[in-house]
Amino acid sequence: MSKQGKAKPLKQAKVAEKDYDENDLAYLQKKKDEQKALKELKAKAGQKGALGGSGLKKSGKK
């Protein structure tokens, strides 16, 4: 193998647009909404810090 730089990536064939029916569109919209909600929950959880706030557990011994 000689050192001639990076090999060019192969060109990918263009994908034709798919025809979506109402069920597909509803599913895609639902999936998009779930991703948005998940992202918001992660942002909200990140602001509060550790979940539960329990920290280190102490043993029951005295």
Side-chain angles (χ1 to χ4, degrees):
M1 294 175 60
S2 62
K3 295 181 181 179
Q4 296 181 359
K6 291 186 176 181
K8 292 183 180 178
L10 298 175
K11 290 185 179 180
Q12 295 181 349
K14 292 184 179 180
V15 178
E17 288 189 27
K18 297 179 181 179
D19 292 332
Y20 294 114
D21 62 5
E22 292 178 16
N23 292 335
D24 291 337
L25 291 174
Y27 173 73
L28 290 173
Q29 184 64 35
K30 181 180 176 185
K31 193 172 180 183
K32 192 175 185 181
D33 291 342
E34 288 176 357
Q35 289 290 333
K36 186 178 178 183
L38 187 64
K39 190 181 242 184
E40 289 175 2
L41 285 175
K42 282 184 180 180
K44 205 177 267 190
Q47 294 172 352
K48 292 182 182 178
L51 293 176
S54 61
L56 296 173
K57 293 188 176 183
K58 296 181 180 180
S59 66
K61 297 180 183 177
K62 288 190 177 182

